[in-house]
Amino acid sequence: MPQGHVVCSGLVERIGEEMGRIIHKYDRDNEEKEIIIDEKIADHQEGLNLVADLLSHHEYGVITDVNEVKLVGHRIVHGGDRFHCVTRINKEVKEAIEELSNLAPLHNPANLTGIKTAEQVFPKATQVGVFDTAFHQSIPEVAFRYALPEKFYKENGIRLYGFHGTSHRYVSQKAAEFLGQDPKKTQLITLHLGNGASMTAIKNGRSIDTSLGMTTISGLVMGTRIGDIDPGVLIYMQEILGYNWKDVKRILNKESGLLGLSGDNDLRNISDRYLEGDERAILALSIYVYRIKKYIGAYIAAIGKVDAIVFTAGVGENSSLISELVCNNLEHLGISIDKEINNRRNGSERDLSDAKASIRTLVIPTNEELEIARQAFTLISEEK
Ligand code: AMP
């Protein structure tokens, strides 16, 4: 930093399973090399210790000593309404992350483990937290409140918080740069379409509404998560069909979405089946796309004049079928893409719009790690 040049990257997978895997990519004379190590990794502590060994390894390493690491940036999923920006981690911040675990029981405890482990493995580094919810703290009350009795908000913190904020922020800034505009004067609808998916309405560079809410289930149809549903259905499933809340939770999170509709949660497979004329796949993708179109319409109404819609993440960056189906028949709103440009996919930032479009359609690859690194680096530089 500050150049943002990646000297090393990697992934630790299948922690706690019979056989784990570490993928370690490193820079050697401006060439990217990769090694893969398959071995049992008991827990996160062991995983991060192995990462530290690789970082300073005599052959594959990029530093000579782990104490050279000055800064560790953590992605923290839920910051509630306490964290509006990147934050230096201390005892109080760790306690707050723990307290917020009831809002994100799957994520915040794991994030805390990551912090505690990194403090031991990189004892000389400053630990910094970048919260997934922070970018959405600018959402006004009119959009973040649910129409529940007031006490559920005031006493229990039940409101929309939003997620994928690091990604929405990163691509919105990149999109403004791409358009040659000041981010603070740019109006965008960002579509983060991956395994999890969300859309954000961005006015003058700030998030004013987003499709994930208090939890990570609402809004768009996702790989295995349901997205928006009439809440009365959940009462019906329990009262009339006899499911308990644990069943309902599992069904909504793990068995619904594209998986529930088509039997598969990987959009690549469903797209292949769609093109072969498979009826379940056609219906699943049609529902997936229809939901996105409804949010585009809603967010145009919320924002006013929109400069661009921005596709990002696994599906958004790679699937020309989804961008084609989403933009199809939206000419009356000013969204219109060139099919040939859309079919020429590559890994770079690009504009899919045709000459008729008054709202541009962009593909901007997301880079949450770089955004976390930049925010952490800026915080530390400003504190000096
Ligand atoms: P992410 O969560 O951003 O890593 O996105 C993962 C998802 O992106 C996968 O589950 C795939 O469904 C989807 N994906 C990746 N590549 C493609 C592609 N070429 N076409 C369609 N979907 C893709």
Side-chain angles (χ1 to χ4, degrees):
M1 299 302 287
Q3 295 87 345
H5 175 57
V6 178
V7 290
C8 178
S9 67
L11 189 67
V12 183
E13 294 182 297
R14 300 183 209 136
I15 292 170
E17 291 182 26
E18 211 150 279
M19 186 57 91
R21 168 168 282 196
I22 303 180
I23 302 167
H24 176 76
K25 295 181 183 169
Y26 58 102
D27 199 46
R28 247 334 141 261
D29 306 322
N30 285 328
E31 219 183 288
E32 190 183 85
K33 307 249 177 182
E34 177 182 289
I35 55 161
I36 295 176
I37 301 169
D38 287 319
E39 66 175 61
K40 186 170 168 51
I41 304 159
D43 52 26
H44 289 79
Q45 169 99 37
E46 196 176 315
L48 211 51
N49 275 325
L50 289 165
V51 169
D53 290 346
L54 282 168
L55 282 176
S56 52
H57 190 273
H58 66 279
E59 197 178 340
Y60 314 119
V62 288
I63 52 176
T64 44
D65 188 304
V66 285
N67 288 331
E68 285 175 45
V69 177
K70 295 281 181 294
L71 193 56
V72 178
H74 296 265
R75 177 193 184 201
I76 318 281
V77 165
H78 221 307
D81 53 13
R82 289 198 221 170
F83 297 102
H84 296 240
C85 57
V86 51
T87 305
R88 184 188 269 263
I89 293 171
N90 56 24
K91 192 166 157 281
E92 287 75 41
V93 172
K94 279 188 275 186
E95 281 166 6
I97 294 169
E98 186 148 26
E99 280 164 30
L100 289 161
S101 287
N102 55 352
L103 291 175
L106 295 179
H107 297 103
N108 274 29
N111 295 154
L112 208 50
T113 307
I115 293 168
K116 288 179 181 161
T117 310
E119 284 172 338
Q120 288 170 11
V121 176
F122 303 106
K124 292 274 190 294
T126 301
Q127 312 288 328
V128 168
V130 174
F131 295 84
D132 236 19
T133 44
F135 182 54
H136 301 301
Q137 281 295 298
S138 50
I139 293 177
E141 191 164 8
V142 66
F144 78 61
R145 281 286 294 275
Y146 298 126
L148 275 168
E150 193 180 43
K151 70 176 184 126
F152 289 105
Y153 167 58
K154 295 229 159 125
E155 292 167 26
N156 308 107
I158 295 180
R159 49 157 285 184
L160 174 149
Y161 291 100
F163 298 92
H164 299 140
T166 312
S167 174
H168 287 292
R169 185 203 300 265
Y170 177 82
V171 297
S172 67
Q173 287 174 348
K174 281 273 163 193
E177 249 173 59
F178 185 90
L179 295 169
Q181 291 182 200
D182 178 353
K184 293 199 176 74
K185 293 184 184 147
T186 304
Q187 331 303 336
L188 301 166
I189 300 172
T190 48
L191 291 78
H192 177 106
L193 307 178
N195 240 331
S198 67
M199 286 173 63
T200 297
I202 298 173
K203 189 166 185 170
N204 296 326
R206 289 157 68 85
S207 169
I208 60 158
D209 202 355
T210 194
S211 63
L212 287 172
M214 184 181 99
T215 71
T216 51
I217 329 183
S218 64
L220 305 180
V221 175
M222 297 174 241
T224 61
R225 288 175 249 167
I226 186 155
D228 289 339
I229 184 174
D230 168 4
V233 174
L234 314 184
I235 301 166
Y236 184 87
M237 284 167 83
Q238 292 172 76
E239 192 179 15
I240 307 297
L241 302 182
Y243 289 90
N244 64 32
W245 66 267
K246 276 191 183 158
D247 296 326
V248 173
K249 185 174 163 188
R250 188 191 68 249
I251 292 165
L252 300 188
N253 277 289
K254 304 227 160 94
E255 297 172 9
S256 299
L258 292 171
L259 178 67
L261 290 167
S262 75
D264 197 324
N265 66 336
D266 193 315
L267 215 118
R268 278 164 291 209
N269 302 334
I270 305 168
S271 302
D272 289 345
R273 284 168 51 198
Y274 176 98
L275 295 171
E276 286 159 10
D278 178 308
E279 277 177 23
R280 279 180 86 200
I282 291 171
L283 181 68
L285 281 200
S286 304
I287 295 171
Y288 179 90
V289 165
Y290 180 69
R291 185 75 50 83
I292 295 173
K293 282 176 185 273
K294 283 215 298 197
Y295 268 93
I296 290 177
Y299 286 168
I300 289 175
I303 297 170
K305 193 194 162 301
V306 171
D307 296 304
I309 65 168
V310 183
F311 284 90
T312 196
V315 176
E317 291 166 31
N318 297 302
S319 171
S320 37
L321 177 64
I322 292 301
S323 42
E324 182 180 333
L325 294 173
V326 166
C327 296
N328 196 22
N329 287 329
L330 293 186
E331 288 84 2
H332 60 290
L333 294 178
I335 296 168
S336 180
I337 61 171
D338 182 315
K339 286 204 177 131
E340 214 172 286
I341 298 177
N342 184 43
N343 284 332
R344 268 188 258 135
R345 288 272 151 172
N346 59 50
S348 62
E349 296 170 2
R350 56 207 179 276
D351 187 349
L352 309 180
S353 326
D354 67 15
K356 295 194 293 295
S358 57
I359 296 178
R360 311 268 287 276
T361 299
L362 308 180
V363 178
I364 306 280
T366 194
N367 193 337
E368 289 170 283
E369 283 95 341
L370 182 58
E371 177 65 21
I372 290 168
R374 278 196 188 138
Q375 288 191 33
F377 185 77
T378 306
L379 175 78
I380 295 309
S381 309
E382 281 170 358
E383 279 181 355
K384 274 182 191 153

